[in-house]
Amino acid sequence: MKNFDAINHIKGKSIYIDDFVLPQNALFASVFFSPIAHGKIISFNLEKAKSIDGVVAILSSKDIPGENQIGGIIQDEVLLAENEVHFIGESIFVVVAKSLEIARKSKKLIEIEFEELPAIINEREAFAKNSLLAPPVIFANGNIEEGFSESDFIIEGSFSSGGQEHLYLETQGAFSIPQEGERIKIISSTQNPSAVQKQASKVLGISMNKIEVEVLRLGGGFGGKEDQATPWAVISALAARITNSPVKLVLSRQEDLLVTGKRHPYSSDFKIGLNKDGKILAYEVTYFQNGGAVADLSTAVLERTLFHATNSYFIPNVKATGISCKTNLPPNTAFRGFGGPQGMFVIEFAIEQAANKIGIPKHEIQKKNLLKDGDELHYGQIVENSNSESCWQKAEIQFNIENQIREIKRFNSENQLYKKGFSFMPICFGISFTSTFLNQANSLIHIYHDGSVSISTAAVEMGQGVNAKIAIAAAKTFSINIERIRIETTNTSRNANTSPTAASSGADMNANATILAAKEILARLIESARTELNANPTDLIEIIDEIVFVNHEKTNLTWEKLIWRTYFNRINLSAHGFYATPNIHFDRKTNKGKPFAYHVYGTAFTIAKIDVLRGISKIESVQIVHDFGKSLNPEIDLGQVEGALVQGIGWVTMEELQYSENGKLLANSLSTYKIPDIYSSPDKTEVVFLDNSENRFGPLSSKAIGEPPFMYGIGAFFAIKNAIENAKQEKSKINSSPITNEKILLELYNERK
Ligand code: MTE
Ligand code: HPA
Ligand code: MOS
């Protein structure tokens, strides 16, 4: 079975925000953004802009009936700027007009005068000036001084990783329609309908039950629509309220690139201590996160960096400090991995530097320190059912890695113009929102009396295949044909108080809630069948493939007949299931607990080839053993691994966000911001399922898949770096990602500054 949407996507028939048929009186909004990174608004004049025919209104913060505040975790984010602007792209005015062309034309006539203030672009500079979004956070265990004093080797260094543009195919957008009375309906491209509902309620000054948020699907989110779909939805709702007309607001690609936040760039300092045997004894790390101008999700992202500071390794003494720095960039935000990749990258770099200093292969240190059951992670969680070593070992055998390494050496000794390198990238990713309260989901099932099934959950379909997974879970629970099941849109009037579809737990939690609701209805159906068939109370009644069985014997009672009889006998054919991930907790005072229901493991083996004359890199192959649990749908899961891998490779090899000194994104189109295409994908990608993996927390024993494979991409960085070292016959000094072709060339010819 394929992703539900595959056929409509390919035919171009799937509907996105931009495709909704608009009512005749619909208006169009376009936002006037701050052109400067930091400054005071001295004066403005909207008269000329308003004078254009077809302009209905130009809104500013003064038009907000409720609170001008949309901060999620920290209340530091205004919807529309008041007296000061803090990044290029901050929303100041909203032009509402009869067409988008008119709105854009009008926007150009807005007159505004600023007093420019100094802007901070870089996280280290922000830290030096004490410009922080929140106080530093420390995760620690053991005794770091003791760990270092027992170490035979101590290596210190710095590493930085760049940001990343989400580049979802569908840009941010929303469409709001005033309803009767004060009520309003918002159709939004958001991963987080309840957040849109909550913030719109605050800004409009009306209660949440007067706002209905509807999501059909997203043309990709990747975390970029967890928090940052909200402003556009709320602006369109505000404009709809004030003009009393439906209002559509969709960002153009260039606007989206310029004004929305991205993956957080990080710059980090580390110190790692090992004994003679290659055991890691101590690890100290400080992360400087470039948070942008307001908090958004930065503190939560930073927390996940701290959780994943040691990746898939056991380190007895750890001190990890996270500092969220406030800069004058658009607020950086969630992006696949949610800070995890940034944390894991630094420990991988530290191990590489240690290997170089000690003079042993990196993978020997990696392998020696993999997590085992019973190990205590630095945040207090005890490792259970670790598949860290089994994935690694299976990869070694299955891919015949020893041979491949020998082959790479042979290639390098015979070739001067091309050199190869390799890397191992083990991963360990915690599943659950690190904010415990978010680990809840609900599902509403109706069985109509023709036997068809409708399921509404909190999950948002954004290409990851969550709808298909929920349908599979329901079809298996009822034992019916999947064609009978329809997954409804995500709508706050049907499912309330929902968590964002994020943290890779959307499929997990919403499928679990669906199974609970299905089981409730199933229990009623079984009793209904018992009555219908005059069976005894002790008889075993089952539904198998749409047929009722009594004591393992087939009857002629079919699903459709049973449903009709159950309805006829006035028995409830609907249920609401609620799932809360059990036994998780985390204490933010001590930074200890069991925040994750479970971990996902895997190992990637990557081979890169560089063209020594031109500095061009190519990922030849990535071979992965991944821990899927018992996959609900291997095709969807494989798609997630391949997509995440390529996205990860893009992040570490070519995607480079260049900003000007005054905070303007220079890489603001696809001609200056390079993303991976089919040519830059690995020539060969091989994904092997780890066998015998169980997971009692996942629906039908499956494991979450959305984010973990992103981090396999980090292996490309180290494989390329290894190829450079094989070309130069000396260790490379590159300590920043991405490792672009330009950087490779400069490194090869020692021009690097
Ligand atoms: N896959 C596609 N095609 N499009 C997306 O936007 N988002 C990723 C991942 N896979 C995404 C995707 C991210 S960031 C997350 S958290 C998960 O999907 C969310 O979905 P899930 O929780 O159902 O796995
Ligand atoms: N992942 C994604 N989104 C989140 C998380 C998380 O761990 N915590 C809060 N929002
Ligand atoms: Mo994913 S970054 O948790 O939306």
Side-chain angles (χ1 to χ4, degrees):
M1 204 205 79
K2 299 204 166 54
N3 189 320
F4 274 13
D5 286 331
I7 291 177
N8 277 339
H9 279 1
I10 284 166
K11 289 184 178 166
K13 286 188 171 169
S14 302
I15 292 177
Y16 300 88
I17 296 291
D18 215 23
D19 301 317
F20 280 95
V21 178
L22 300 179
Q24 269 196 334
N25 59 341
L27 301 176
F28 299 82
S30 183
V31 179
F32 179 89
F33 298 109
S34 171
I36 63 165
H38 192 196
K40 288 201 172 91
I41 301 175
I42 302 297
S43 67
F44 60 87
N45 185 348
L46 304 177
E47 291 318 309
K48 277 189 203 146
K50 276 183 179 163
S51 72
I52 295 207
D53 211 27
V55 173
V56 177
I58 300 183
L59 312 178
S60 73
S61 62
K62 296 208 170 57
D63 296 297
I64 291 175
E67 251 182 279
N68 184 18
Q69 180 54 244
I70 56 163
I73 300 174
I74 298 173
Q75 305 288 292
D76 66 349
E77 184 174 358
V78 293
L79 181 70
L80 297 174
E82 291 173 1
N83 306 312
E84 214 177 292
V85 287
H86 308 90
F87 61 94
I88 290 180
E90 187 166 344
S91 302
I92 307 178
F93 303 110
V94 184
V95 182
V96 192
K98 288 190 171 149
S99 78
L100 188 57
E101 290 65 37
I102 296 172
R104 288 193 177 144
K105 209 159 112 193
S106 157
K107 219 165 71 169
K108 293 206 182 102
L109 300 176
I110 289 179
E111 293 168 331
I112 187 161
E113 201 189 328
F114 298 98
E115 177 196 330
E116 280 206 51
L117 297 169
I120 303 174
I121 306 308
N122 176 278
E123 59 278 2
R124 296 271 184 169
E125 185 192 345
F127 177 69
K129 293 183 173 154
N130 202 27
S131 170
L132 304 182
L133 288 165
V137 181
I138 298 175
F139 278 28
N141 71 335
N143 183 327
I144 195 82
E145 281 80 27
E146 250 175 56
F148 283 120
S149 70
E150 287 166 14
S151 298
D152 300 309
F153 301 98
I154 294 175
I155 298 92
E156 291 181 66
S158 300
F159 182 76
S160 62
S161 57
Q164 186 177 24
E165 161 59 36
H166 300 85
L167 227 106
Y168 24 68
L169 283 175
E170 180 192 27
T171 57
Q172 303 274 7
F175 176 54
S176 294
I177 311 139
Q179 312 279 300
E180 198 178 69
E182 275 191 312
R183 294 200 65 222
I184 194 151
K185 179 167 177 172
I186 307 173
I187 300 172
S188 166
S189 177
T190 178
Q191 291 174 240
N192 198 348
S194 286
V196 168
Q197 186 190 21
K198 173 182 168 183
Q199 305 302 353
S201 137
K202 247 196 306 182
V203 168
L204 298 181
I206 56 177
S207 54
M208 283 171 74
N209 62 357
K210 292 186 177 134
I211 296 163
E212 176 187 351
V213 181
E214 160 91 359
V215 185
L216 175 50
R217 70 162 61 73
L218 317 188
F222 305 110
K225 295 170 182 171
E226 181 173 340
D227 228 33
Q228 297 211 359
T230 302
W232 323 110
V234 176
I235 288 173
S236 81
L238 174 71
R241 160 59 21 90
I242 287 174
T243 60
N244 199 28
S245 306
V247 176
K248 175 169 157 177
L249 168 56
V250 174
L251 299 190
S252 70
R253 176 64 65 191
Q254 183 137 46
E255 285 177 330
D256 194 306
L257 290 169
L258 274 172
V259 312
T260 65
K262 313 191 187 305
R263 181 185 295 285
H264 295 80
Y266 274 60
S267 157
S268 310
D269 297 329
F270 66 86
K271 181 173 166 187
I272 190 168
L274 300 90
N275 70 12
K276 282 196 291 291
D277 302 331
K279 272 265 176 203
I280 306 172
L281 300 183
Y283 180 54
E284 191 173 358
V285 59
T286 305
Y287 304 104
F288 298 92
Q289 177 199 52
N290 190 331
V294 297
D296 190 273
L297 292 163
S298 292
T299 52
V301 169
L302 184 67
E303 196 175 69
R304 198 175 263 279
T305 304
L306 295 169
F307 280 118
H308 293 85
T310 61
N311 188 13
S312 201
Y313 309 108
F314 173 64
I315 306 180
N317 307 290
V318 176
K319 183 179 175 198
T321 306
I323 302 168
S324 196
C325 304
K326 182 173 172 170
T327 60
N328 296 104
L329 294 183
N332 287 317
T333 193
F335 196 143
R336 211 169 197 168
F338 205 75
Q342 291 95 321
M344 286 156 68
F345 216 157
V346 185
I347 185 71
E348 290 300 327
F349 186 79
I351 292 174
E352 186 208 50
Q353 295 301 297
N356 288 351
K357 172 140 176 200
I358 303 171
I360 55 173
K362 180 187 177 192
H363 58 274
E364 278 179 25
I365 301 179
Q366 290 175 303
K367 189 177 172 181
K368 220 167 248 166
N369 291 280
L370 293 174
L371 286 170
K372 293 182 183 52
D373 283 358
D375 286 344
E376 184 178 331
L377 293 160
H378 56 290
Y379 46 91
Q381 181 155 353
I382 307 294
V383 174
E384 294 170 86
N385 306 314
S386 170
N387 287 324
S388 185
E389 288 187 308
S390 43
C391 287
W392 183 290
Q393 284 156 7
K394 191 175 165 96
E396 277 185 334
I397 298 164
Q398 181 106 11
F399 305 138
N400 208 341
I401 287 177
E402 226 175 278
N403 254 0
Q404 295 203 58
I405 293 176
R406 222 174 296 130
E407 185 54 31
I408 290 168
K409 286 191 180 141
R410 188 196 57 79
F411 178 93
N412 287 339
S413 68
E414 292 173 4
N415 287 279
Q416 289 310 309
L417 295 180
Y418 293 92
K419 294 287 178 183
K420 290 189 184 183
F422 70 89
S423 75
F424 282 82
M425 181 66 201
I427 61 154
C428 167
F429 195 78
I431 301 301
S432 289
F433 284 95
T434 57
S435 301
T436 303
F437 76 96
L438 291 173
N439 295 289
Q440 50 175 311
N442 62 82
S443 170
L444 178 65
I445 304 187
H446 300 310
I447 304 182
Y448 293 98
H449 60 50
D450 67 351
S452 65
V453 180
S454 143
I455 302 177
S456 302
T457 74
V460 169
E461 177 61 59
M462 51 186 136
Q464 86 278 41
V466 68
N467 284 354
K469 287 190 169 183
I470 290 169
I472 290 167
K476 288 207 169 148
T477 308
F478 285 126
S479 193
I480 58 173
N481 190 330
I482 198 155
E483 304 294 326
R484 288 197 189 274
I485 295 174
R486 188 185 136 71
I487 305 295
E488 305 288 347
T489 59
T490 317
N491 184 299
T492 53
S493 298
R494 269 179 272 116
N495 298 93
N497 308 320
T498 60
S499 295
T501 300
S504 302
S505 58
D508 263 29
M509 294 200 300
N510 290 286
N512 271 328
T514 299
I515 291 171
L516 290 175
K519 281 186 172 165
E520 202 178 310
I521 303 178
L522 186 63
R524 291 183 217 134
L525 293 177
I526 296 292
E527 289 320 302
S528 165
R530 195 184 304 282
T531 312
E532 206 54 31
L533 295 165
N534 289 317
N536 291 321
T538 52
D539 287 339
L540 174 68
I541 311 236
E542 294 164 292
I543 300 171
I544 300 170
D545 292 339
E546 308 210 337
I547 307 280
V548 178
F549 282 68
V550 179
N551 296 329
H552 308 291
E553 267 184 47
K554 202 169 177 172
T555 70
N556 59 10
L557 186 58
T558 61
W559 172 262
E560 281 183 16
K561 255 196 264 173
L562 172 63
I563 296 300
W564 172 259
R565 293 298 301 164
T566 307
Y567 162 73
F568 193 77
N569 290 322
R570 300 186 298 168
I571 293 163
N572 186 1
L573 283 172
S574 300
H576 181 256
F578 177 78
Y579 180 79
T581 311
N583 304 327
I584 49 170
H585 51 90
F586 188 68
D587 180 352
R588 287 219 167 95
K589 287 192 196 80
T590 57
N591 288 328
K592 297 279 178 195
K594 181 190 183 269
F596 300 119
Y598 62 92
H599 290 88
V600 171
Y601 299 90
T603 297
F605 179 71
T606 302
I607 301 179
K609 184 163 93 179
I610 59 167
D611 173 334
V612 177
L613 279 183
R614 299 169 186 84
I616 293 166
S617 73
K618 175 76 204 168
I619 303 303
E620 281 209 330
S621 78
V622 182
Q623 291 168 297
I624 295 168
V625 174
H626 186 83
D627 168 20
F628 293 86
K630 282 197 168 44
S631 174
L632 275 178
N633 183 320
E635 279 163 311
I636 288 177
D637 282 354
L638 270 177
Q640 285 291 294
V641 174
E642 290 167 1
L645 171 69
V646 172
Q647 206 169 32
I649 292 175
W651 176 46
V652 306
T653 63
M654 64 184 73
E655 296 183 45
E656 198 170 21
L657 290 167
Q658 302 259 16
Y659 291 92
S660 72
E661 265 170 38
N662 46 15
K664 182 157 194 233
L665 180 64
L666 299 173
N668 61 5
S669 81
L670 289 178
S671 60
T672 45
Y673 185 74
K674 173 116 182 81
I675 60 158
D677 55 17
I678 192 72
Y679 301 107
S680 35
S681 301
D683 288 338
K684 177 172 108 183
T685 306
E686 187 179 348
V687 183
V688 170
F689 289 61
L690 180 73
D691 22 46
N692 302 321
S693 173
E694 296 275 339
N695 177 29
R696 69 194 163 95
F697 294 102
L700 309 176
S701 211
S702 64
K703 281 196 170 187
I705 188 69
E707 295 166 286
F710 179 89
M711 280 137 293
Y712 293 133
I714 293 172
F717 178 92
F718 291 102
I720 293 172
K721 208 175 154 203
N722 182 238
I724 296 173
E725 295 177 344
N726 291 336
K728 287 182 45 157
Q729 295 293 324
E730 64 178 71
K731 296 305 170 193
S732 158
K733 291 193 180 64
I734 290 176
N735 66 348
S736 65
S737 170
I739 189 157
T740 58
N741 290 341
E742 182 183 10
K743 206 185 270 178
I744 297 169
L745 194 67
L746 293 175
E747 177 75 359
L748 283 172
Y749 298 98
N750 286 325
E751 297 287 331
R752 208 178 50 86
K753 281 197 211 85

